[in-house]
Amino acid sequence: MFEHTQVIQEGDTVICYVNPMNMKAVQIKKGDKFSNQYGQFDHETMIGKTWGSKITSVNKRGFMYLLRLTPELWTLNLPHRTQILYNPDISAILSNLDVQPGTKMIESGTGSGSFSHSIARIVAPDGHLYSFEYHKARVELATQEFKEHGLEQFITVKHRDVCEQGFDLKNTVTAVFLDLPKPWDALASAKEAFIPDRVGKICCFSPAIEQVQETCKKLHELGFEDIRMIEVLSRPYDVRKIAVPPVPDTIVAKPQTGKKRRLDDDEQGILTAKPVKEVKGHTSFLTFATLFPQNVE
């Protein structure tokens, strides 16, 4: 993912992009074929193409673009093994945890690997992500995907129930992210993993407010400070062009009733924007806390 070759090679993962609602991640192999509603695309015709190239199907009925894999595109195309984090939550978490190049960080659980890709891109080349997952099959699949995407040097995946066994890391990280049913059971071990003479930051991802309450209580008991919770909601706006008659015509004309007609791009009018009627609601609560340096003179 971070080896920016100019052309597509065999073994690369390519995003076959038709439109924002129609794209798919495909690993390129000689002899394989990719098919969609526009026809068939041979993998061999993709090898050697520049990233971003537009190619036509064998039957000439349609085309698609060959995009380089990014964490954002992988989040939209990955095979779902668990519920995943999406970009609004990912951005808020990384910002509040102060993740940057060189950061060493813990993530639990690995799940489908959506968040792991975003973390690896930021901490590279000198940082590292320690990712923990209790489900063995998920560990194996995530490990294989990280290898295929060139991330194995930045991510270590371990099969471990951290609520029962802890992280087995001490004085190692400055950031921790927990997406667990009972994150409070892993907080004591997470505290031991922080580097004692550095500021450590933690985030717990919890769907229910009762989980937030229990987590905050445990964080306070362990000496964490600046404990707070946020919820990230995305509110898109619908942009359209509408007809607005000149002011003199409006004064003398009778009021019009009904909806304003949406204009085509080549028609005269003004652009307006308003929130869409239905938006995606609650995903989870994000609980943040800070552990300040311990026993530092």
Side-chain angles (χ1 to χ4, degrees):
M1 181 178 290
F2 304 127
E3 296 179 0
H4 296 299
T5 57
Q6 295 298 314
V7 298
I8 298 170
Q9 303 173 2
E10 185 175 13
D12 286 344
T13 299
V14 174
I15 301 297
C16 298
Y17 179 94
V18 178
N19 59 54
M21 304 303 295
N22 185 352
M23 61 180 110
K24 187 175 178 62
V26 176
Q27 188 174 20
I28 302 302
K29 298 179 182 177
K30 288 184 178 179
D32 282 5
K33 304 178 187 300
F34 171 71
S35 298
N36 61 17
Q37 72 268 35
Y38 296 116
Q40 182 176 286
F41 300 82
D42 295 336
H43 283 207
E44 291 192 25
T45 64
M46 303 181 197
I47 297 174
K49 294 286 188 184
T50 303
W51 291 103
S53 294
K54 174 182 175 181
I55 64 170
T56 306
S57 60
V58 174
N59 59 15
K60 308 299 182 183
R61 290 180 54 194
F63 61 87
M64 66 181 186
Y65 295 94
L66 307 177
L67 302 185
R68 190 192 303 273
L69 182 67
T70 66
E72 292 79 11
L73 289 175
W74 180 244
T75 292
L76 297 175
N77 289 275
L78 58 77
H80 284 236
R81 299 182 285 270
T82 59
Q83 180 182 352
I84 68 171
L85 272 71
Y86 288 96
N87 292 325
D89 283 329
I90 289 173
S91 299
I93 295 166
L94 292 174
S95 176
N96 281 274
L97 290 183
D98 196 23
V99 180
Q100 54 190 291
T103 296
K104 292 181 173 58
M105 177 175 173
I106 284 175
E107 169 198 38
S108 183
T110 309
S112 300
S114 168
F115 191 32
S116 310
H117 282 71
S118 293
I119 297 171
R121 178 176 60 183
I122 292 183
V123 303
D126 300 320
H128 201 80
L129 171 64
Y130 301 90
S131 189
F132 296 83
E133 173 62 51
Y134 78 93
H135 194 280
K136 187 175 182 180
R138 292 178 199 154
V139 171
E140 294 172 351
L141 290 169
T143 301
Q144 179 62 30
E145 289 170 353
F146 297 151
K147 183 177 180 180
E148 291 173 355
H149 300 164
L151 302 178
E152 69 271 21
Q153 61 181 313
F154 308 114
I155 305 176
T156 299
V157 188
K158 295 184 179 181
H159 176 220
R160 192 179 185 89
D161 184 350
V162 297
C163 291
E164 294 291 335
Q165 302 170 306
F167 295 102
D168 194 28
L169 288 174
K170 296 185 184 298
N171 308 334
T172 305
V173 302
T174 57
V176 174
F177 172 74
L178 302 179
D179 182 2
L180 302 168
K182 297 181 179 180
W184 51 89
D185 287 339
L187 290 177
S189 180
K191 181 179 179 179
E192 294 178 349
F194 282 116
I195 300 173
D197 60 350
R198 297 275 301 276
V199 174
K201 296 188 177 183
I202 190 168
C203 174
C204 299
F205 182 91
S206 305
I209 194 64
E210 292 82 5
Q211 294 171 296
V212 174
Q213 293 171 330
E214 193 68 28
T215 300
C216 289
K217 182 166 47 174
K218 188 65 174 180
L219 286 168
H220 182 71
E221 291 175 2
L222 290 171
F224 284 85
E225 299 185 43
D226 191 23
I227 302 170
R228 54 199 171 85
M229 182 271 286
I230 67 172
E231 182 181 23
V232 181
L233 298 176
S234 178
R235 191 184 188 196
Y237 276 67
D238 181 27
V239 179
R240 64 174 63 189
K241 184 185 288 186
I242 62 171
V244 178
V247 173
D249 295 345
T250 305
I251 295 174
V252 299
K254 293 182 179 180
Q256 294 183 350
T257 60
K259 293 183 178 179
K260 293 183 175 65
R261 182 173 68 89
R262 184 191 287 255
L263 301 179
D264 295 328
D265 291 339
D266 58 350
E267 293 185 272
Q268 296 297 318
I270 64 170
L271 287 176
T272 64
K274 67 176 182 179
V276 298
K277 292 182 179 179
E278 295 183 5
V279 298
K280 291 182 180 179
H282 172 74
T283 54
S284 267
F285 299 111
L286 303 177
T287 304
F288 295 96
T290 301
L291 185 68
F292 289 102
Q294 306 294 304
N295 302 322
V296 178
E297 295 182 358

